[in-house]
Amino acid sequence: MSDLHYDVTGDGPVLLVLPGGAGHPMGLGPFTEHLAPHFTVVTHDPLGLAHGRPGDPVADQTVRDWSEGAHRVLAEVLTPGDSAYVFGTSSGSVAALDLLARHPGRLRHVVAHEPPCVTLLPDGERLRTGLIEQLDAARPAPGTPMAVFLAHILRPFTAYRPPAALPRLTIAAGAESKGQLLHRAAESVAGHTGAAFTEFPGGHLGVLEDPAGFADRVRETLLGTG
């Protein structure tokens, strides 16, 4: 039995969606429904949290774990020689950056929304420590996806530094996040990688706050790249 967990909907070129947080696709239904007329939307659940594994122990994660898992998903859903679009948000966008760095030949274009690569900023280590402390202070009860994120994903993913000069990449940030740490981090990632930078509706959780408007911007951005 495969240890890969993903859902597929829609028709058209493959769009791999990499959720944020602990990778649980909760709440993404309206977003993927708006994209389904234009793409074959493949939503990856890297830890299987939405596929019958919510009570199993979770090990500390690495960015490479997630990006290589995403690459294996693409190997299952793509025909030989084909390539995919990718959209990732938050921790999922970090995995998307690493996927692009490791396997550029399988990807048409990547949109990374608010990757929390805060160490690229001046005084980034101090800012990363403050972010971790802020989120830890609101730590929920054990067993939920947010608790998994805080315990096993937050620290390694916020320490990730993408390589420079990544091809076929757009970095996005929420219009309502302007001036906030993760908007600034996104701008820094764009400058570091040489990627285009754009703003999407809402804030860091814009994909949940305005799924239709957010999906429209994803579609326009990706299909506008060819």
Side-chain angles (χ1 to χ4, degrees):
M1 182 176 178
S2 174
D3 61 347
L4 297 176
H5 304 280
Y6 57 92
D7 298 299
V8 181
T9 187
D11 185 55
V14 170
L15 168 58
L16 179 66
V17 173
L18 305 179
H24 195 302
M26 67 176 69
L28 291 183
F31 169 69
T32 58
E33 287 170 11
H34 279 93
L35 289 169
H38 310 282
F39 302 94
T40 298
V41 183
V42 180
T43 305
H44 189 206
D45 176 8
L47 298 179
L49 297 179
H51 292 81
R53 188 192 157 171
D56 290 351
V58 174
D60 290 345
Q61 300 295 295
T62 70
V63 175
R64 184 170 185 171
D65 289 336
W66 283 29
S67 68
E68 288 303 318
H71 183 240
R72 289 170 58 211
V73 170
L74 291 180
E76 288 197 0
V77 301
L78 288 175
T79 58
D82 200 3
S83 56
Y85 295 108
V86 178
F87 166 77
T89 185
S90 191
S91 53
S93 70
V94 175
L97 292 173
D98 197 59
L99 177 64
L100 180 60
R102 295 180 185 278
H103 304 286
R106 299 311 306 267
L107 309 184
R108 295 189 185 192
H109 198 89
V110 171
V111 170
H113 177 254
E114 296 208 358
C117 303
V118 294
T119 61
L120 288 176
L121 290 165
D123 204 14
E125 288 296 344
R126 181 187 64 81
L127 293 170
R128 176 174 173 264
T129 298
L131 175 64
I132 291 170
E133 290 175 349
Q134 176 187 355
L135 293 175
D136 270 344
R139 181 181 290 269
T144 66
M146 187 61 176
V148 171
F149 168 70
L150 292 174
H152 302 292
I153 297 163
L154 173 62
R155 285 167 176 79
F157 280 60
T158 53
Y160 181 77
R161 296 175 68 90
L166 286 175
R168 300 184 302 282
L169 173 64
T170 298
I171 302 296
E176 295 178 14
S177 299
K178 198 168 186 68
Q180 298 176 14
L181 176 59
L182 295 184
H183 191 291
R184 291 164 49 212
E187 291 177 299
S188 182
V189 172
H192 176 75
T193 60
F197 178 81
T198 189
E199 289 188 336
F200 280 10
H204 189 64
L205 300 179
V207 66
L208 304 179
E209 297 160 347
D210 182 5
F214 203 97
D216 285 345
R217 290 289 289 121
V218 169
R219 175 180 54 79
E220 292 162 2
T221 301
L222 290 175
L223 296 184
T225 66

